[in-house]
Amino acid sequence: MSGLKARINAGETVLGTFVKTPAPHVIELLGIAGLDFAVADQEHAPLDLGAMDQLALAARAVGLPLVARCWGQSPARISPLLDLGCTGVMVPHVADSETAENVVAAVKFGPGKRGLSPSPRAGNYGTMGAAAYTAKSDAESVVMVQIEDAEALDRLDMIASVPGVDVLFVGPADLSQSLGCGFPSAQLDAAIVRVIQAARHANVAAGLFVGDESQIAAWRERGVSVFVCGSDQGLVIKGARRIAEAGRA
């Protein structure tokens, strides 16, 4: 099954990592390595629209779906990223269904809030007709809403039931901070399980950030299918440390 959205909706396990470095070569390397997607992290890294343009260009060249973790929840923040050719968005701090609805409206042409022009990269620079472009975008664009706030836990069913939401994605660091618990901790794990259960009930995917690949198997058994593991920075640091430790042993 091809296409990130189709794979997610089919319940496949998909694996990605955060990208925090404004260099298209990183995207090429991750695609060659065989990841299923990457998440360009505008929230916590210096990735302006120009940098995102280069990352999206590299993603298209290597065939790696690129999701943008965007600065905010408004169409002005979201829609330009999709015009560049990003496959979808991951939106931080979605704590209620109204916010989730606004995110979907900014991503999809159907609700009528995303400005339409087939001229950007996503529309093959005007070579696709408007109708074909909007249909393809609405059918393939991925919406990941981040569950990072204690108050969101009591609204999970409403958030998950918003049409167009594909993934309830847990940001464990912010969620633990909001809950006032440790990261990791049993209380945080229980909250993540609540998100998984709500996602399953609504027939959407559950996603989770993990710091290390050793954590994937256990959470996959619990029902998570969308994983973002570490970041490009972490991968470089881990690899460099292995060299340093081996050379000094």
Side-chain angles (χ1 to χ4, degrees), residues 29-45:
L29 291 167
L30 295 176
I32 291 169
L35 289 183
D36 299 307
F37 67 102
V39 182
D41 189 7
Q42 286 193 302
E43 185 185 15
H44 295 299

mmCIF file with all atom_site columns, all heavy atoms in Angstrom, residues 29-45:
data_model
loop_
_atom_site.group_PDB
_atom_site.id
_atom_site.type_symbol
_atom_site.label_atom_id
_atom_site.label_alt_id
_atom_site.label_comp_id
_atom_site.label_asym_id
_atom_site.label_entity_id
_atom_site.label_seq_id
_atom_site.pdbx_PDB_ins_code
_atom_site.Cartn_x
_atom_site.Cartn_y
_atom_site.Cartn_z
_atom_site.occupancy
_atom_site.B_iso_or_equiv
_atom_site.pdbx_formal_charge
_atom_site.auth_seq_id
_atom_site.auth_comp_id
_atom_site.auth_asym_id
_atom_site.auth_atom_id
_atom_site.pdbx_PDB_model_num
ATOM 1   N N   . LEU A 1 29 ? 19.362 11.795 3.156  1.00 0.00 ? 29 LEU A N   1
ATOM 2   C CA  . LEU A 1 29 ? 19.959 10.683 3.892  1.00 0.00 ? 29 LEU A CA  1
ATOM 3   C C   . LEU A 1 29 ? 18.905 9.826  4.574  1.00 0.00 ? 29 LEU A C   1
ATOM 4   O O   . LEU A 1 29 ? 18.983 8.590  4.564  1.00 0.00 ? 29 LEU A O   1
ATOM 5   C CB  . LEU A 1 29 ? 20.944 11.222 4.928  1.00 0.00 ? 29 LEU A CB  1
ATOM 6   C CG  . LEU A 1 29 ? 22.217 11.864 4.362  1.00 0.00 ? 29 LEU A CG  1
ATOM 7   C CD1 . LEU A 1 29 ? 22.949 12.627 5.449  1.00 0.00 ? 29 LEU A CD1 1
ATOM 8   C CD2 . LEU A 1 29 ? 23.122 10.811 3.735  1.00 0.00 ? 29 LEU A CD2 1
ATOM 9   N N   . LEU A 1 30 ? 17.901 10.473 5.172  1.00 0.00 ? 30 LEU A N   1
ATOM 10  C CA  . LEU A 1 30 ? 16.851 9.724  5.864  1.00 0.00 ? 30 LEU A CA  1
ATOM 11  C C   . LEU A 1 30 ? 16.026 8.907  4.872  1.00 0.00 ? 30 LEU A C   1
ATOM 12  O O   . LEU A 1 30 ? 15.597 7.787  5.180  1.00 0.00 ? 30 LEU A O   1
ATOM 13  C CB  . LEU A 1 30 ? 15.950 10.680 6.640  1.00 0.00 ? 30 LEU A CB  1
ATOM 14  C CG  . LEU A 1 30 ? 16.632 11.439 7.798  1.00 0.00 ? 30 LEU A CG  1
ATOM 15  C CD1 . LEU A 1 30 ? 15.659 12.435 8.416  1.00 0.00 ? 30 LEU A CD1 1
ATOM 16  C CD2 . LEU A 1 30 ? 17.155 10.474 8.851  1.00 0.00 ? 30 LEU A CD2 1
ATOM 17  N N   . GLY A 1 31 ? 15.796 9.462  3.698  1.00 0.00 ? 31 GLY A N   1
ATOM 18  C CA  . GLY A 1 31 ? 15.071 8.714  2.673  1.00 0.00 ? 31 GLY A CA  1
ATOM 19  C C   . GLY A 1 31 ? 15.857 7.509  2.195  1.00 0.00 ? 31 GLY A C   1
ATOM 20  O O   . GLY A 1 31 ? 15.314 6.411  2.043  1.00 0.00 ? 31 GLY A O   1
ATOM 21  N N   . ILE A 1 32 ? 17.160 7.697  1.973  1.00 0.00 ? 32 ILE A N   1
ATOM 22  C CA  . ILE A 1 32 ? 18.015 6.592  1.552  1.00 0.00 ? 32 ILE A CA  1
ATOM 23  C C   . ILE A 1 32 ? 18.067 5.517  2.634  1.00 0.00 ? 32 ILE A C   1
ATOM 24  O O   . ILE A 1 32 ? 18.124 4.309  2.343  1.00 0.00 ? 32 ILE A O   1
ATOM 25  C CB  . ILE A 1 32 ? 19.427 7.113  1.226  1.00 0.00 ? 32 ILE A CB  1
ATOM 26  C CG1 . ILE A 1 32 ? 19.380 7.979  -0.046 1.00 0.00 ? 32 ILE A CG1 1
ATOM 27  C CG2 . ILE A 1 32 ? 20.416 5.968  1.056  1.00 0.00 ? 32 ILE A CG2 1
ATOM 28  C CD1 . ILE A 1 32 ? 20.647 8.757  -0.302 1.00 0.00 ? 32 ILE A CD1 1
ATOM 29  N N   . ALA A 1 33 ? 18.014 5.947  3.901  1.00 0.00 ? 33 ALA A N   1
ATOM 30  C CA  . ALA A 1 33 ? 18.087 4.999  5.020  1.00 0.00 ? 33 ALA A CA  1
ATOM 31  C C   . ALA A 1 33 ? 16.844 4.129  5.130  1.00 0.00 ? 33 ALA A C   1
ATOM 32  O O   . ALA A 1 33 ? 16.886 3.072  5.766  1.00 0.00 ? 33 ALA A O   1
ATOM 33  C CB  . ALA A 1 33 ? 18.291 5.756  6.331  1.00 0.00 ? 33 ALA A CB  1
ATOM 34  N N   . GLY A 1 34 ? 15.738 4.562  4.523  1.00 0.00 ? 34 GLY A N   1
ATOM 35  C CA  . GLY A 1 34 ? 14.550 3.719  4.503  1.00 0.00 ? 34 GLY A CA  1
ATOM 36  C C   . GLY A 1 34 ? 13.461 4.075  5.498  1.00 0.00 ? 34 GLY A C   1
ATOM 37  O O   . GLY A 1 34 ? 12.553 3.271  5.716  1.00 0.00 ? 34 GLY A O   1
ATOM 38  N N   . LEU A 1 35 ? 13.523 5.266  6.089  1.00 0.00 ? 35 LEU A N   1
ATOM 39  C CA  . LEU A 1 35 ? 12.429 5.673  6.971  1.00 0.00 ? 35 LEU A CA  1
ATOM 40  C C   . LEU A 1 35 ? 11.148 5.876  6.167  1.00 0.00 ? 35 LEU A C   1
ATOM 41  O O   . LEU A 1 35 ? 11.178 6.099  4.954  1.00 0.00 ? 35 LEU A O   1
ATOM 42  C CB  . LEU A 1 35 ? 12.787 6.959  7.709  1.00 0.00 ? 35 LEU A CB  1
ATOM 43  C CG  . LEU A 1 35 ? 13.865 6.849  8.801  1.00 0.00 ? 35 LEU A CG  1
ATOM 44  C CD1 . LEU A 1 35 ? 14.055 8.200  9.482  1.00 0.00 ? 35 LEU A CD1 1
ATOM 45  C CD2 . LEU A 1 35 ? 13.519 5.786  9.827  1.00 0.00 ? 35 LEU A CD2 1
ATOM 46  N N   . ASP A 1 36 ? 10.021 5.816  6.857  1.00 0.00 ? 36 ASP A N   1
ATOM 47  C CA  . ASP A 1 36 ? 8.729  5.964  6.196  1.00 0.00 ? 36 ASP A CA  1
ATOM 48  C C   . ASP A 1 36 ? 8.324  7.425  6.034  1.00 0.00 ? 36 ASP A C   1
ATOM 49  O O   . ASP A 1 36 ? 7.547  7.758  5.138  1.00 0.00 ? 36 ASP A O   1
ATOM 50  C CB  . ASP A 1 36 ? 7.651  5.234  7.000  1.00 0.00 ? 36 ASP A CB  1
ATOM 51  C CG  . ASP A 1 36 ? 7.932  3.749  7.108  1.00 0.00 ? 36 ASP A CG  1
ATOM 52  O OD1 . ASP A 1 36 ? 8.144  3.119  6.056  1.00 0.00 ? 36 ASP A OD1 1
ATOM 53  O OD2 . ASP A 1 36 ? 7.945  3.220  8.236  1.00 0.00 ? 36 ASP A OD2 1
ATOM 54  N N   . PHE A 1 37 ? 8.821  8.287  6.908  1.00 0.00 ? 37 PHE A N   1
ATOM 55  C CA  . PHE A 1 37 ? 8.525  9.721  6.825  1.00 0.00 ? 37 PHE A CA  1
ATOM 56  C C   . PHE A 1 37 ? 9.498  10.458 7.723  1.00 0.00 ? 37 PHE A C   1
ATOM 57  O O   . PHE A 1 37 ? 10.238 9.855  8.508  1.00 0.00 ? 37 PHE A O   1
ATOM 58  C CB  . PHE A 1 37 ? 7.079  10.021 7.236  1.00 0.00 ? 37 PHE A CB  1
ATOM 59  C CG  . PHE A 1 37 ? 6.765  9.774  8.691  1.00 0.00 ? 37 PHE A CG  1
ATOM 60  C CD1 . PHE A 1 37 ? 6.683  10.835 9.592  1.00 0.00 ? 37 PHE A CD1 1
ATOM 61  C CD2 . PHE A 1 37 ? 6.527  8.491  9.167  1.00 0.00 ? 37 PHE A CD2 1
ATOM 62  C CE1 . PHE A 1 37 ? 6.390  10.618 10.928 1.00 0.00 ? 37 PHE A CE1 1
ATOM 63  C CE2 . PHE A 1 37 ? 6.236  8.261  10.504 1.00 0.00 ? 37 PHE A CE2 1
ATOM 64  C CZ  . PHE A 1 37 ? 6.168  9.319  11.391 1.00 0.00 ? 37 PHE A CZ  1
ATOM 65  N N   . ALA A 1 38 ? 9.509  11.776 7.598  1.00 0.00 ? 38 ALA A N   1
ATOM 66  C CA  . ALA A 1 38 ? 10.273 12.635 8.502  1.00 0.00 ? 38 ALA A CA  1
ATOM 67  C C   . ALA A 1 38 ? 9.366  13.779 8.929  1.00 0.00 ? 38 ALA A C   1
ATOM 68  O O   . ALA A 1 38 ? 8.409  14.136 8.231  1.00 0.00 ? 38 ALA A O   1
ATOM 69  C CB  . ALA A 1 38 ? 11.531 13.169 7.823  1.00 0.00 ? 38 ALA A CB  1
ATOM 70  N N   . VAL A 1 39 ? 9.665  14.346 10.090 1.00 0.00 ? 39 VAL A N   1
ATOM 71  C CA  . VAL A 1 39 ? 8.894  15.475 10.607 1.00 0.00 ? 39 VAL A CA  1
ATOM 72  C C   . VAL A 1 39 ? 9.828  16.670 10.757 1.00 0.00 ? 39 VAL A C   1
ATOM 73  O O   . VAL A 1 39 ? 10.728 16.660 11.611 1.00 0.00 ? 39 VAL A O   1
ATOM 74  C CB  . VAL A 1 39 ? 8.235  15.162 11.963 1.00 0.00 ? 39 VAL A CB  1
ATOM 75  C CG1 . VAL A 1 39 ? 7.417  16.359 12.431 1.00 0.00 ? 39 VAL A CG1 1
ATOM 76  C CG2 . VAL A 1 39 ? 7.357  13.926 11.857 1.00 0.00 ? 39 VAL A CG2 1
ATOM 77  N N   . ALA A 1 40 ? 9.654  17.666 9.923  1.00 0.00 ? 40 ALA A N   1
ATOM 78  C CA  . ALA A 1 40 ? 10.434 18.892 10.023 1.00 0.00 ? 40 ALA A CA  1
ATOM 79  C C   . ALA A 1 40 ? 9.888  19.717 11.188 1.00 0.00 ? 40 ALA A C   1
ATOM 80  O O   . ALA A 1 40 ? 8.714  20.097 11.195 1.00 0.00 ? 40 ALA A O   1
ATOM 81  C CB  . ALA A 1 40 ? 10.344 19.682 8.721  1.00 0.00 ? 40 ALA A CB  1
ATOM 82  N N   . ASP A 1 41 ? 10.744 19.978 12.160 1.00 0.00 ? 41 ASP A N   1
ATOM 83  C CA  . ASP A 1 41 ? 10.300 20.503 13.452 1.00 0.00 ? 41 ASP A CA  1
ATOM 84  C C   . ASP A 1 41 ? 10.428 22.019 13.536 1.00 0.00 ? 41 ASP A C   1
ATOM 85  O O   . ASP A 1 41 ? 11.391 22.559 14.081 1.00 0.00 ? 41 ASP A O   1
ATOM 86  C CB  . ASP A 1 41 ? 11.099 19.835 14.568 1.00 0.00 ? 41 ASP A CB  1
ATOM 87  C CG  . ASP A 1 41 ? 10.558 20.169 15.952 1.00 0.00 ? 41 ASP A CG  1
ATOM 88  O OD1 . ASP A 1 41 ? 9.493  20.812 16.029 1.00 0.00 ? 41 ASP A OD1 1
ATOM 89  O OD2 . ASP A 1 41 ? 11.199 19.791 16.945 1.00 0.00 ? 41 ASP A OD2 1
ATOM 90  N N   . GLN A 1 42 ? 9.426  22.713 13.021 1.00 0.00 ? 42 GLN A N   1
ATOM 91  C CA  . GLN A 1 42 ? 9.430  24.173 13.130 1.00 0.00 ? 42 GLN A CA  1
ATOM 92  C C   . GLN A 1 42 ? 9.235  24.647 14.569 1.00 0.00 ? 42 GLN A C   1
ATOM 93  O O   . GLN A 1 42 ? 9.655  25.751 14.909 1.00 0.00 ? 42 GLN A O   1
ATOM 94  C CB  . GLN A 1 42 ? 8.320  24.762 12.257 1.00 0.00 ? 42 GLN A CB  1
ATOM 95  C CG  . GLN A 1 42 ? 8.603  24.728 10.776 1.00 0.00 ? 42 GLN A CG  1
ATOM 96  C CD  . GLN A 1 42 ? 7.631  25.609 10.020 1.00 0.00 ? 42 GLN A CD  1
ATOM 97  O OE1 . GLN A 1 42 ? 6.415  25.415 10.096 1.00 0.00 ? 42 GLN A OE1 1
ATOM 98  N NE2 . GLN A 1 42 ? 8.149  26.570 9.290  1.00 0.00 ? 42 GLN A NE2 1
ATOM 99  N N   . GLU A 1 43 ? 8.608  23.819 15.398 1.00 0.00 ? 43 GLU A N   1
ATOM 100 C CA  . GLU A 1 43 ? 8.318  24.257 16.763 1.00 0.00 ? 43 GLU A CA  1
ATOM 101 C C   . GLU A 1 43 ? 9.587  24.460 17.580 1.00 0.00 ? 43 GLU A C   1
ATOM 102 O O   . GLU A 1 43 ? 9.682  25.396 18.372 1.00 0.00 ? 43 GLU A O   1
ATOM 103 C CB  . GLU A 1 43 ? 7.408  23.251 17.467 1.00 0.00 ? 43 GLU A CB  1
ATOM 104 C CG  . GLU A 1 43 ? 6.971  23.722 18.848 1.00 0.00 ? 43 GLU A CG  1
ATOM 105 C CD  . GLU A 1 43 ? 6.164  22.684 19.618 1.00 0.00 ? 43 GLU A CD  1
ATOM 106 O OE1 . GLU A 1 43 ? 6.175  21.503 19.227 1.00 0.00 ? 43 GLU A OE1 1
ATOM 107 O OE2 . GLU A 1 43 ? 5.532  23.071 20.604 1.00 0.00 ? 43 GLU A OE2 1
ATOM 108 N N   . HIS A 1 44 ? 10.569 23.605 17.393 1.00 0.00 ? 44 HIS A N   1
ATOM 109 C CA  . HIS A 1 44 ? 11.756 23.624 18.248 1.00 0.00 ? 44 HIS A CA  1
ATOM 110 C C   . HIS A 1 44 ? 13.058 23.738 17.465 1.00 0.00 ? 44 HIS A C   1
ATOM 111 O O   . HIS A 1 44 ? 14.117 23.361 17.979 1.00 0.00 ? 44 HIS A O   1
ATOM 112 C CB  . HIS A 1 44 ? 11.794 22.374 19.124 1.00 0.00 ? 44 HIS A CB  1
ATOM 113 C CG  . HIS A 1 44 ? 10.672 22.288 20.102 1.00 0.00 ? 44 HIS A CG  1
ATOM 114 N ND1 . HIS A 1 44 ? 10.464 23.221 21.093 1.00 0.00 ? 44 HIS A ND1 1
ATOM 115 C CD2 . HIS A 1 44 ? 9.674  21.370 20.240 1.00 0.00 ? 44 HIS A CD2 1
ATOM 116 C CE1 . HIS A 1 44 ? 9.404  22.887 21.804 1.00 0.00 ? 44 HIS A CE1 1
ATOM 117 N NE2 . HIS A 1 44 ? 8.897  21.772 21.304 1.00 0.00 ? 44 HIS A NE2 1
ATOM 118 N N   . ALA A 1 45 ? 12.999 24.231 16.237 1.00 0.00 ? 45 ALA A N   1
ATOM 119 C CA  . ALA A 1 45 ? 14.217 24.336 15.435 1.00 0.00 ? 45 ALA A CA  1
ATOM 120 C C   . ALA A 1 45 ? 14.108 25.543 14.493 1.00 0.00 ? 45 ALA A C   1
ATOM 121 O O   . ALA A 1 45 ? 13.008 26.014 14.201 1.00 0.00 ? 45 ALA A O   1
ATOM 122 C CB  . ALA A 1 45 ? 14.434 23.049 14.640 1.00 0.00 ? 45 ALA A CB  1
#
